[in-house]
Amino acid sequence: MTQASEYEGSARRSASSGRGAKRPSFPARVALYNRQVVSELRKVIWPTRNELITYTIVSVVFVAAMVAYVGVLDYGFTKAIFAMFG
Amino acid sequence: MLTAFGRAFRTPDLRNKMLFTLGILALFRFGSTVPAPGVNYQHVHDCLIQNKDSSVLALVNLFSGGALLQLTVFALGIMPYITSSIIIQLLVVVIPRLERLKEQGQSGQAKLTQYTRYLTVALAILQATGIVALARSGRLLPCTDSTGAQIDLLYSTSVFRIITLVVTMTAGTAVIMWLGELITDRGIGNGMSLLIFTSIAARFPSQGTDILRSRGTATFIAVLIAGLLIIVGIVFMEQGQRRIPVQYAKRMIGRRMYGGTSTYIPLKVNQAGVIPVIFSSSLLYLPQLLGQVWTSNHTFTNFVAKYFTATDSWTYIGSYALLTMFFTYFYVAITFNPVEVSDNMRKYGGFIPGIRPGRPTAEYLEYVLSRITLPGALYLTAIAVLPILALHFLPGAAAGNNQSFPFGGTSVLILVGVGLDTSKQIESQLMLRNYEGFLR
């Protein structure tokens, strides 16, 4: 595997190889960038179905528990304050 | 993983940390309920019922957990702290003297933290003055009693009382800052994010019942399902990583062989986490805050009211999206330094297969990171902006401030992001303990 093959397209190589070479036009560079983004995105490891389910459950449970905790606290505090000042 | 929560409570060290964090959060909520001195609690309570969700400061109120409009000791919440840490981090890039401080390591970092704290106090004074001025003139919660006379939120408007109020709120912000740092140091999770999390969680029940009451059960269930789908989407995106393989060279030290292992550097698609959304939404409320300074018919106030207070105006949505994109790139750039990572790798004899160590490695990391962050930034922007758009175009959608909507993208993103981070930290601490116990 050569070094250049790690990069999608040849932007890096032409940038360093020749000063005389003409710089590609703006739309061409945007298109290249987009292709590079897509190719990197393909190498991303997404969570498996199992992981997705576990993490979703964990975060829902965590959020629900915290909402309940804060809710109980707020209810108590509001009652107490109201009794004092209201 | 769910049983981990139960096991976590049986590990003494971890239990102490969790109880400590919960205790701090309880203190935080307590301060958010106690009215500041000189505030007529009964009147505030009546006025809050009168103008339920018509307030212009709805987003700030959401981030302070409803404490702002109640004029409590912790009325300002951690917003000043967040704003000042954004400003300092931006200034580090701009001002060479601060950049040198950052490069000094530990002592420079301490100095920067100190600057952040000073700036927080300055911002808190500004903001407290603004809020108190609003409360005094009756524009914070405009409401009238049965005879049509205006209800005063404060007992007295003498200079001494006003100064006491401003000082109390500023001190409250300083205490919140300290609480946040205590959580980061001795508890579990990141203090700043957990405090915001708590504030948003505090608004949840009341807003949920609001929807249930005003729109009926069907809408409520639909909103819950939509929320669940958004949560699944967020979890999916947060877990996606680009793994860059790293190979360690074998080497002999004395008679033992070291290295020869292969690992990877995980680059998350959303490397920045929830911080960019918090940053951009807290920056966007600054014009609102400035607009409050002048009386209601000033040109600047009108301009702000037209373009930045109404969350469904195109200027608001557009600048929100742009700021979120900008902060995603910005935050990735300041938290992940490719040069540092590649230097570290080279020091321990690691390399990425096919890439030479040193500068090419740093360039490669930079290349991957900048490309993988684009989808991340787009995702954050979409989560933040789409719910506003959806509510805007859906028939029968409520007018008014959609940002304070409990299932609005920003708040769900913060809730789920912080929840995921914190439970992962608990999990990893548990692993540490259990392996220790297992080996002994």
Side-chain angles (χ1 to χ4, degrees), chain B residues 5 13 15 19 34 104 125 137 169 230 239 275 350 354 375-376:
Chain B
F5 277 120
D13 188 40
R15 182 177 56 216
L19 288 179
V34 176
Q104 273 173 17
I125 292 175
S137 66
M169 284 185 180
I230 296 179
Q239 293 299 314
I275 303 284

Side-chain angles (χ1 to χ4, degrees), chain B residues 168-283:
Chain B
T168 311
M169 284 185 180
T170 311
T173 306
V175 173
I176 294 175
M177 188 159 70
W178 182 56
L179 293 181
E181 283 172 7
L182 275 182
I183 292 182
T184 313
D185 284 350
R186 288 205 251 154
I188 276 197
N190 176 320
M192 195 161 88
S193 343
L194 262 179
L195 289 181
I196 293 200
F197 175 93
T198 319
S199 303
I200 294 179
R203 302 289 291 159
F204 227 69
S206 69
Q207 290 188 323
T209 45
D210 267 5
I211 294 181
L212 188 60
R213 210 169 293 150
S214 60
R215 310 262 194 94
T217 323
T219 322
F220 183 67
I221 291 174
V223 165
L224 278 188
I225 291 173
L228 194 66
L229 284 182
I230 296 179
I231 290 176
V232 173
I234 292 173
V235 170
F236 184 75
M237 286 303 282
E238 294 292 326
Q239 293 299 314
Q241 328 177 304
R242 167 84 164 89
R243 294 178 177 170
I244 296 190
V246 177
Q247 187 76 39
Y248 280 95
K250 269 192 187 144
R251 51 180 176 184
M252 292 282 265
I253 296 175
R255 296 177 60 189
R256 293 180 65 185
M257 190 79 108
Y258 287 96
T261 51
S262 70
T263 53
Y264 57 85
I265 304 175
L267 294 180
K268 282 166 74 182
V269 174
N270 177 23
Q271 184 82 5
V274 291
I275 303 284
V277 182
I278 297 179
F279 276 12
S280 61
S281 46
S282 44
L283 267 197

Side-chain angles (χ1 to χ4, degrees), chain B residues 103-422:
Chain B
E103 282 160 1
Q104 273 173 17
Q106 197 94 53
S107 65
Q109 198 59 51
K111 199 87 185 162
L112 282 182
T113 314
Q114 207 179 357
Y115 289 154
T116 312
R117 288 182 192 146
Y118 289 147
L119 189 61
T120 307
V121 171
L123 284 175
I125 292 175
L126 271 181
Q127 210 174 323
T129 316
I131 296 297
V132 172
L134 275 183
R136 200 177 82 161
S137 66
R139 273 186 295 135
L140 184 69
L141 285 171
C143 62
T144 49
D145 61 10
S146 50
T147 58
Q150 198 184 31
I151 300 178
D152 281 328
L153 297 181
L154 308 178
Y155 280 115
S156 145
T157 51
S158 70
V159 180
F160 175 71
R161 286 296 185 94
I162 296 294
I163 290 178
T164 315
L165 208 51
V166 171
V167 168
T168 311
M169 284 185 180
T170 311
T173 306
V175 173
I176 294 175
M177 188 159 70
W178 182 56
L179 293 181
E181 283 172 7
L182 275 182
I183 292 182
T184 313
D185 284 350
R186 288 205 251 154
I188 276 197
N190 176 320
M192 195 161 88
S193 343
L194 262 179
L195 289 181
I196 293 200
F197 175 93
T198 319
S199 303
I200 294 179
R203 302 289 291 159
F204 227 69
S206 69
Q207 290 188 323
T209 45
D210 267 5
I211 294 181
L212 188 60
R213 210 169 293 150
S214 60
R215 310 262 194 94
T217 323
T219 322
F220 183 67
I221 291 174
V223 165
L224 278 188
I225 291 173
L228 194 66
L229 284 182
I230 296 179
I231 290 176
V232 173
I234 292 173
V235 170
F236 184 75
M237 286 303 282
E238 294 292 326
Q239 293 299 314
Q241 328 177 304
R242 167 84 164 89
R243 294 178 177 170
I244 296 190
V246 177
Q247 187 76 39
Y248 280 95
K250 269 192 187 144
R251 51 180 176 184
M252 292 282 265
I253 296 175
R255 296 177 60 189
R256 293 180 65 185
M257 190 79 108
Y258 287 96
T261 51
S262 70
T263 53
Y264 57 85
I265 304 175
L267 294 180
K268 282 166 74 182
V269 174
N270 177 23
Q271 184 82 5
V274 291
I275 303 284
V277 182
I278 297 179
F279 276 12
S280 61
S281 46
S282 44
L283 267 197
L284 265 185
Y285 98 92
L286 282 184
Q288 285 182 41
L289 192 76
L290 282 178
Q292 304 293 342
V293 176
W294 285 288
T295 42
S296 51
N297 234 344
H298 194 274
T299 22
F300 183 77
T301 319
N302 287 343
F303 174 79
V304 164
K306 193 167 172 201
Y307 293 112
F308 287 102
T309 306
T311 51
D312 46 5
S313 73
W314 287 107
T315 40
Y316 183 89
I317 295 176
S319 40
Y320 193 23
L322 279 180
L323 277 176
T324 310
M325 296 271 278
F326 166 73
F327 275 122
T328 313
Y329 269 97
F330 178 76
Y331 204 68
V332 167
I334 56 174
T335 48
F336 188 92
N337 185 352
V339 178
E340 211 178 287
V341 173
S342 75
D343 278 353
N344 270 337
M345 251 159 52
R346 189 167 56 171
K347 220 179 276 170
Y348 296 104
F351 59 92
I352 301 169
I355 311 276
R356 269 175 289 152
R359 218 168 73 102
T361 301
E363 272 171 10
Y364 180 65
L365 287 176
E366 176 78 54
Y367 167 90
V368 173
L369 199 62
S370 65
R371 266 120 193 114
I372 209 78
T373 303
L374 182 69
L378 286 178
Y379 140 77
L380 278 183
T381 312
I383 289 277
V385 167
L386 278 185
I388 308 180
L389 288 181
L391 277 180
H392 186 48
F393 288 117
L394 236 56
N401 211 319
N402 298 326
Q403 273 295 310
S404 59
F405 186 60
F407 287 97
T410 314
S411 31
V412 176
L413 188 63
I414 293 173
L415 284 180
V416 175
V418 175
L420 212 57
D421 267 5
T422 313

Side-chain angles (χ1 to χ4, degrees), chain A residues 1-9 11-12 32-48 51-74 76-86, chain B residues 1-2 5 22-23 25-27 29-30 33-35 41-42 45 65 155 194 197-198 201-202 204-205 228 231-232 235-237 239-243 269 329 352-356 360 363-364 366-368 370-372 374-375 415-416 418-420 422-424 426:
Chain A
M1 203 192 281
T2 60
Q3 173 136 12
S5 70
E6 282 293 314
Y7 299 103
E8 181 77 16
R12 296 269 153 171
L32 177 67
Y33 190 88
N34 283 341
R35 272 205 309 283
Q36 289 168 338
V37 167
V38 170
S39 95
E40 285 303 324
L41 213 50
R42 273 183 214 285
K43 296 176 196 156
V44 167
I45 298 184
W46 298 107
T48 61
E51 277 170 358
L52 192 62
I53 293 172
T54 347
Y55 281 118
T56 306
I57 293 176
V58 164
S59 45
V60 167
V61 167
F62 185 86
V63 169
M66 288 305 283
V67 167
Y69 175 67
V70 174
V72 168
L73 280 182
D74 272 8
F77 287 148
T78 314
K79 275 267 151 22
I81 300 286
F82 206 72
M84 261 198 278
F85 295 98
Chain B
M1 203 172 163
L2 268 185
F5 277 120
L22 287 178
L25 292 183
L27 263 182
R29 284 317 298 167
F30 180 66
T33 338
V34 176
Y41 184 76
Q42 187 70 53
H45 193 76
Y155 280 115
L194 262 179
F197 175 93
T198 319
F204 227 69
L228 194 66
I231 290 176
V232 173
V235 170
F236 184 75
M237 286 303 282
Q239 293 299 314
Q241 328 177 304
R242 167 84 164 89
R243 294 178 177 170
V269 174
Y329 269 97
I352 301 169
I355 311 276
R356 269 175 289 152
E363 272 171 10
Y364 180 65
E366 176 78 54
Y367 167 90
V368 173
S370 65
R371 266 120 193 114
I372 209 78
L374 182 69
L415 284 180
V416 175
V418 175
L420 212 57
T422 313
S423 37
K424 269 189 180 167
I426 296 176

